[in-house]
Amino acid sequence: MIHKSFFKKSYAVALAMSIIFCASPLAFLTSSVSNDGSQEVTQEDLKELAKKIAVMVNDTRAEHGLEPLYVVPYLCDCSHVRVRESVHKFSHYRPTQEELSGITGVEEKGEWFSTVIDSNLAPYLTVEENLAASEDPCTAEEAFGQWMSSTEGHRDAILNPDMTHMGVAVTYEHKDRNSETYREDPYEWYWELLIINVQKDFYAVDDPDNPGMKKRVFVDKELNGQYLPVQYEIVPKSTGDLSGDGIVDSYDYITILQYVVYQEELKKAQNGQPVDETILAKPKKLNDLQLEAADCFKDGTINYNDAKALQRYVLGEYKSLPYVF
């Protein structure tokens, strides 16, 4: 039986005002400059910037011996809402309707940034937000470097060992440099990183040390669509090629075996059976293309039989994959 663990939420927040001074151009932006002086920026440009930030977050965490954060499409949607809001109000407080309508001098603070998240879709214990803004275009490396060199909480948020998932968004808002709006807020590039600690699920399983008794085993909660960002997505070239290097070898066998072992242990927990908690503590995930490549029998399931088929192919006992009886 599955249970949800409920804890009081907390808010650890990095200071809002991270202003970036960029020296190098945003080389990978599409096109050049319009007649009104605005940058020609596509949604794909912005998504690529956000992807680079997500990769750098996990590369940096790995350098410090920390677990990677999963990117969640829903959290990225939340980040997009927040980064667009920051154009109107560069703060961890969300803009009011008056501020969104362009009315200035509003004394009301607005809601706290965390209200952008529906806790039913992303049940978090802790949430942190990094914001940044720059007047001129800059690289993702410069924006991320500004956070990491900050002494105001941005770096601590990225290296918080308790965090599990993230959303990232980048936006561009052209402003007329002769306008009052520009004089009040000259920034056109805005960056947002939303990081949360998802509450774990737990199962009541048989306790082998105390016959007839149950104990709780905590398992990482998987949010819808979550994935680990990589610089270049792993794209298998054939069945069995889980690494995407075009070669089916022992590395692919170990990968599928780790995945199957984790899934089998998870099933035991769901059925209330004794489990190896060390295995559940290190979940093994595969992306959709890897899952397709791992199905060595093309029967829609991935289990020990697929691992054995891949092993026999590596040993030369099977001549091709997928294996056909």
Side-chain angles (χ1 to χ4, degrees):
M1 180 179 181
I2 188 171
H3 303 265
K4 288 184 177 179
S5 53
F6 297 94
F7 301 91
K8 183 178 180 181
K9 295 182 177 64
S10 63
Y11 307 97
V13 184
L15 189 66
M17 298 302 178
S18 177
I19 307 303
I20 309 167
F21 299 95
C22 304
S24 59
L26 199 55
F28 38 82
L29 285 180
T30 302
S31 191
S32 54
V33 180
S34 297
N35 292 332
D36 62 357
S38 64
Q39 298 281 334
E40 292 289 345
V41 183
T42 70
Q43 287 301 312
E44 289 304 313
D45 293 327
L46 298 176
K47 288 180 180 179
E48 184 63 23
L49 286 171
K51 177 182 176 182
K52 287 177 177 290
I53 291 290
V55 170
M56 285 186 284
V57 166
N58 281 346
D59 285 349
T60 302
R61 288 176 65 87
E63 291 172 1
H64 289 79
L66 301 175
E67 293 295 318
L69 303 181
Y70 287 98
V71 172
V72 182
Y74 170 68
L75 289 181
C76 288
D77 291 340
C78 293
S79 287
H80 180 71
V81 172
R82 285 292 299 133
V83 81
R84 290 303 305 167
E85 289 179 345
S86 69
V87 173
H88 299 275
K89 185 176 186 176
F90 191 56
S91 167
H92 290 305
Y93 286 100
R94 303 182 68 185
T96 62
Q97 286 300 317
E98 289 83 358
E99 289 170 320
L100 289 173
S101 300
I103 300 176
T104 59
V106 179
E107 295 184 1
E108 184 181 355
K109 281 187 175 181
E111 296 180 327
W112 196 233
F113 77 89
S114 59
T115 60
V116 75
I117 303 174
D118 183 342
S119 59
N120 293 313
L121 298 178
Y124 62 89
L125 300 176
T126 307
V127 55
E128 302 191 72
E129 178 181 66
N130 280 1
L131 287 172
S134 61
E135 180 177 350
D136 299 314
C138 64
T139 66
E141 288 79 8
E142 287 172 318
F144 185 76
Q146 187 75 5
W147 282 335
M148 289 304 296
S149 62
S150 168
T151 59
E152 299 172 340
H154 302 88
R155 184 177 188 276
D156 292 340
I158 292 168
L159 297 179
N160 187 329
D162 296 326
M163 296 314 202
T164 57
H165 297 74
M166 65 176 160
V168 191
V170 184
T171 196
Y172 168 72
E173 181 77 7
H174 172 64
K175 297 174 183 176
D176 183 352
R177 303 207 168 191
N178 295 316
S179 67
E180 182 65 27
T181 299
Y182 178 79
R183 284 190 288 273
E184 293 178 355
D185 177 6
Y187 307 111
E188 296 184 326
W189 290 89
Y190 296 84
W191 310 68
E192 204 270 0
L193 173 62
L194 199 61
I195 309 176
I196 68 173
N197 174 14
V198 173
Q199 62 187 34
K200 292 179 180 287
D201 288 328
F202 67 85
Y203 298 93
V205 303
D206 294 332
D207 186 351
D209 297 326
N210 297 285
M213 301 292 290
K214 296 283 187 178
K215 68 175 182 178
R216 290 181 176 182
V217 173
F218 289 88
V219 179
D220 288 345
K221 179 184 288 292
E222 183 171 340
L223 300 185
N224 187 39
Q226 72 176 40
Y227 63 93
L228 288 176
V230 292
Q231 188 65 45
Y232 303 102
E233 183 179 9
I234 296 177
V235 179
K237 306 299 188 296
S238 64
T239 299
D241 176 27
L242 302 188
S243 65
D245 61 0
I247 303 172
V248 179
D249 54 22
S250 57
Y251 176 85
D252 300 296
Y253 167 68
I254 293 173
T255 300
I256 189 175
L257 188 61
Q258 290 175 335
Y259 174 81
V260 171
V261 167
Y262 176 78
Q263 292 298 320
E264 291 297 316
E265 213 63 27
L266 185 58
K267 289 178 183 177
K268 290 180 184 178
Q270 293 167 343
N271 293 328
Q273 300 172 338
V275 297
D276 186 336
E277 295 182 52
T278 60
I279 294 176
L280 290 177
K282 296 182 179 181
K284 182 65 178 180
K285 305 294 184 181
L286 301 176
N287 66 35
D288 290 342
L289 294 176
Q290 287 177 302
L291 289 173
E292 183 179 351
D295 187 3
C296 294
F297 289 99
K298 298 306 176 188
D299 57 2
T301 61
I302 301 172
N303 51 36
Y304 282 111
N305 291 330
D306 296 286
K308 291 177 181 177
L310 198 154
Q311 181 186 40
R312 290 180 177 178
Y313 176 80
V314 172
L315 294 174
E317 297 177 18
Y318 288 171
K319 301 304 180 184
S320 65
L321 290 175
Y323 182 77
V324 179
F325 290 100

